[in-house]
Amino acid sequence: MKYYFDFIKAEASYLNKTMVFMTVVAGVANALAVATAIRTAAQLRPGSLHFQEFFLFCSLMALFWYCKRYSMNESTKMVEGVVRLIRLRILGKLKTTDLLGLEAIDKGIFYSALATDAATISSSTTMAVNAVSSGIMLVFIILYIGAMSSKALFISVGIVGLMVFLYLQNEKEIGFALRQSTVCENTFMDNLGGLLNGFKELKMNRRKYQDFSREDLDAVIDTSADLRVDAGLRFNVTILLAQTFLLLAIGGILFLLPQLDQNELPIIPKLIGLIIFTAGPISDFAIAIPAISRAEAAINNIRTLEGLIDLGQSQNERICNEQSVEELSWNRISLQDVFFQFPLKEGGRPFSIGPMQLEFHRGEITFVVGGNGSGKSTFLKAFTSLYPLSGGHILLDDIEITPYNKASYRNLFSTIFTDYYLFKRLIGIEQPDDELVRTLLARMELSDKTSIENGMITNRDLSTGQKKRLTLILSVLENKPVMVFDEWAADQDPVFRKFFYDVLLPELKANGKTIIAVTHDDNYFYAADRIYKMEYGRCVPYGHAE
């Protein structure tokens, strides 16, 4: 439990001392109400009235209700605030993480940490507060037992000590199993994404599907289930320990105390009554312990994710994020000895591109060609400053691109990469002219497939070619000076491919746009003002269109 409460204390923007005080008061009030009931029960006689005790009992019950409700409400607000801050902080760190750092993190841990684990921490709040309040009540009941009989206190403390020792031994194993299970859940989330994204490829090949299911899904599910069963069996031991405490305490008072002191026989019924009242607090502990253990495993997973993101943090991206975005005036983008290399991985040979000397002139159409795996997409990511350069410089006319103007440089581009994502609404685009949207949809033959209403795309369930055409419409609506297309025409039919090269690109150029397009369509090389060829990571002039 300490790990859980240390986390909440560290992450909370403030510690509500009133909430802590109210939690303590609720536990004390509950214990005093029990003591009042036990003492009054011993004084009951036929026809006797106990207005004072009745008033005290009702007052303590009302105090318990008020304080417990306050502490539960405030703790819920505090923990939800913690979850909110964690999500915002982690997502905020992505702003200062470059694409290379993000690509190094498995996506499964994002979904499990920011969704499932955050919800697990949130749901544990009430149970944790109940456990604290019940713990205070339990302490006061034991002290009350001590006030009645020091020998009964000795028996009770001995049994509690034994239970705590056994619980701590069991908790270590539970925590380990849950942490390992969380790692399996991260892997499962990542592999599930592979199943959904690669469903077509798997569906086409039964052997491939069976292999993926057996090794990447079934095996992970089985391992996670085994770990959770192990943790669940140990949770059962914890619950049994809590329930056994009640029986052991009753048995100790009933059978051991008379052997220690015959004079304390008259108070045994009262002592057993007090112990029976501990059933509630013990039940709260039995419920809270598994919930808090799961929350601690969730906390560990969130901290793991944040640690991975911290590894990908970039000082240059921090500086970039702090700068305002300004409109840049330019006529030429120059690459001087630009070189990029992926990080070295154990047992692998890092792929690199460059060094290269290239120029891109405003208002021109430039094609980048080359075979698969030659580095074209990597080049585009380095060129648009998504990947940090390993060497060389990018110049906008005579101004070097640095972290202080990188955000403004990126703002020049509208990009459609091969692994593009089609958002469900217009992002960063003011409400466009309806007539323009209708015209673009009609030209792309999408009018009867989808539309854009109040900034929302009404239908994204489109074919691959249709999605790319819709993405191109959004790129046009962004109205950036440089448009980057990574094999946009590859998924288009011959009619739209010809339309792209013979109509659309010239129109965009006439409107002052600079076009940089990766392509394999050598039949349309005539549409380019200049062509560069990528081969084994090197980019050289290919020749001008005739």
Side-chain angles (χ1 to χ4, degrees), residues 321-379:
N321 191 56
E322 293 170 356
Q323 311 306 312
S324 60
V325 175
E326 300 176 356
E327 294 293 331
L328 298 178
S329 176
W330 63 282
N331 291 299
R332 181 184 73 254
I333 301 175
S334 304
L335 277 62
Q336 296 185 355
D337 297 320
V338 164
F339 174 76
F340 170 78
Q341 178 175 289
F342 284 99
L344 177 64
K345 293 185 178 180
E346 185 177 354
R349 182 179 179 182
F351 180 76
S352 63
I353 59 171
M356 56 188 72
Q357 302 274 354
L358 304 174
E359 285 190 353
F360 299 87
H361 292 262
R362 185 162 193 161
E364 285 190 349
I365 298 175
T366 302
F367 286 174
V368 179
V369 303
N372 293 329
S374 60
K376 302 185 299 296
S377 295
T378 301
F379 162 73

Side-chain angles (χ1 to χ4, degrees), residues 215-447:
E215 299 297 330
D216 296 87
L217 295 178
D218 297 352
V220 176
I221 290 172
D222 290 343
T223 302
S224 179
D226 290 342
L227 290 168
R228 288 189 176 276
V229 166
D230 182 47
L233 295 177
R234 294 183 182 280
F235 278 139
N236 294 341
V237 172
T238 299
I239 294 171
L240 285 172
L241 285 173
Q243 294 176 345
T244 304
F245 165 75
L246 183 62
L247 297 175
L248 284 176
I250 291 174
I253 296 298
L254 190 59
F255 298 110
L256 290 180
L257 186 59
Q259 304 304 317
L260 296 175
D261 192 344
Q262 293 287 331
N263 296 325
E264 298 195 348
L265 285 174
I267 66 170
I268 286 180
K270 293 182 182 179
L271 293 173
I272 291 177
L274 280 171
I275 291 172
I276 290 174
F277 270 108
T278 64
I282 291 171
S283 177
D284 288 340
F285 271 107
I287 294 172
I289 287 170
I292 293 176
S293 295
R294 292 189 179 95
E296 288 180 341
I299 290 167
N300 186 70
N301 199 43
I302 288 173
R303 285 181 165 169
T304 298
L305 171 61
E306 193 160 10
L308 291 172
I309 293 175
D310 287 341
L311 290 176
Q313 290 287 285
S314 164
Q315 180 62 27
N316 287 340
E317 289 298 322
R318 289 194 185 96
I319 295 173
C320 173
N321 191 56
E322 293 170 356
Q323 311 306 312
S324 60
V325 175
E326 300 176 356
E327 294 293 331
L328 298 178
S329 176
W330 63 282
N331 291 299
R332 181 184 73 254
I333 301 175
S334 304
L335 277 62
Q336 296 185 355
D337 297 320
V338 164
F339 174 76
F340 170 78
Q341 178 175 289
F342 284 99
L344 177 64
K345 293 185 178 180
E346 185 177 354
R349 182 179 179 182
F351 180 76
S352 63
I353 59 171
M356 56 188 72
Q357 302 274 354
L358 304 174
E359 285 190 353
F360 299 87
H361 292 262
R362 185 162 193 161
E364 285 190 349
I365 298 175
T366 302
F367 286 174
V368 179
V369 303
N372 293 329
S374 60
K376 302 185 299 296
S377 295
T378 301
F379 162 73
L380 290 182
K381 291 172 183 176
F383 173 67
T384 55
S385 200
L386 288 174
Y387 281 167
L389 299 183
S390 303
H393 309 279
I394 298 176
L395 300 180
L396 203 65
D397 291 339
D398 296 323
I399 301 175
E400 182 179 354
I401 301 305
T402 69
Y404 294 94
N405 58 10
K406 184 185 290 186
S408 299
Y409 173 71
R410 287 174 178 165
N411 193 53
L412 295 174
F413 299 94
S414 174
T415 60
I416 303 178
F417 294 105
T418 54
D419 56 350
Y420 68 94
Y421 180 77
L422 179 60
F423 291 93
K424 62 183 178 182
R425 67 178 183 88
L426 302 184
I427 305 291
I429 302 174
E430 298 295 333
Q431 181 62 35
D433 179 70
D434 290 339
E435 184 61 33
L436 174 61
V437 171
R438 283 193 292 270
T439 300
L440 291 172
L441 288 170
R443 296 189 72 187
M444 295 295 176
E445 296 185 5
L446 294 174
S447 297

Side-chain angles (χ1 to χ4, degrees), residues 4 7-14 74-92 110-126 294-296 298-299 302-303 305-306:
Y4 173 84
F7 170 79
I8 297 299
K9 182 179 178 181
E11 293 291 342
S13 57
Y14 69 98
E74 290 301 311
S75 63
T76 297
K77 294 176 185 177
M78 182 179 69
V79 172
E80 290 300 332
V82 166
V83 170
R84 172 183 173 273
L85 288 173
I86 289 171
R87 283 173 165 170
L88 291 176
R89 184 175 69 234
I90 290 177
L91 295 177
F110 278 97
Y111 300 121
S112 60
L114 296 181
T116 306
D117 293 334
T120 299
I121 295 172
S122 176
S123 64
S124 67
T125 307
T126 301
R294 292 189 179 95
E296 288 180 341
I299 290 167
I302 288 173
R303 285 181 165 169
L305 171 61
E306 193 160 10

Side-chain angles (χ1 to χ4, degrees), residues 6-177:
D6 286 346
F7 170 79
I8 297 299
K9 182 179 178 181
E11 293 291 342
S13 57
Y14 69 98
L15 181 61
N16 190 330
K17 295 181 179 179
T18 304
M19 180 193 71
V20 176
F21 175 75
M22 288 292 199
T23 303
V24 173
V25 171
V28 173
N30 200 1
L32 291 177
V34 170
T36 301
I38 295 292
R39 185 168 62 85
T40 304
Q43 297 174 357
L44 287 177
R45 298 292 183 273
S48 61
L49 298 175
H50 298 273
F51 287 110
Q52 185 176 355
E53 287 79 3
F54 174 73
F55 178 76
L56 177 60
F57 182 82
C58 291
S59 299
L60 289 170
M61 187 168 60
L63 180 62
F64 165 77
W65 173 274
Y66 177 78
C67 293
K68 188 67 173 286
R69 182 182 179 186
Y70 179 89
S71 63
M72 291 173 67
N73 289 346
E74 290 301 311
S75 63
T76 297
K77 294 176 185 177
M78 182 179 69
V79 172
E80 290 300 332
V82 166
V83 170
R84 172 183 173 273
L85 288 173
I86 289 171
R87 283 173 165 170
L88 291 176
R89 184 175 69 234
I90 290 177
L91 295 177
K93 285 184 176 182
L94 293 181
K95 296 178 182 178
T96 54
T97 302
D98 58 43
L99 179 62
L100 203 60
L102 180 64
E103 290 176 341
I105 304 174
D106 291 335
K107 302 304 178 287
I109 192 173
F110 278 97
Y111 300 121
S112 60
L114 296 181
T116 306
D117 293 334
T120 299
I121 295 172
S122 176
S123 64
S124 67
T125 307
T126 301
M127 288 172 276
V129 172
N130 278 340
V132 172
S133 180
S134 296
I136 294 168
M137 176 186 173
L138 191 60
V139 168
F140 270 80
I141 288 178
I142 292 175
L143 291 176
Y144 188 57
I145 290 174
M148 295 175 66
S149 168
S150 59
K151 296 180 179 63
L153 175 63
F154 175 78
I155 294 172
S156 300
V157 170
I159 294 172
V160 169
L162 175 63
M163 294 296 106
V164 169
F165 173 76
L166 294 175
Y167 159 72
L168 291 177
Q169 293 296 111
N170 197 44
E171 185 189 33
K172 294 178 182 178
E173 301 298 329
I174 292 174
F176 176 78

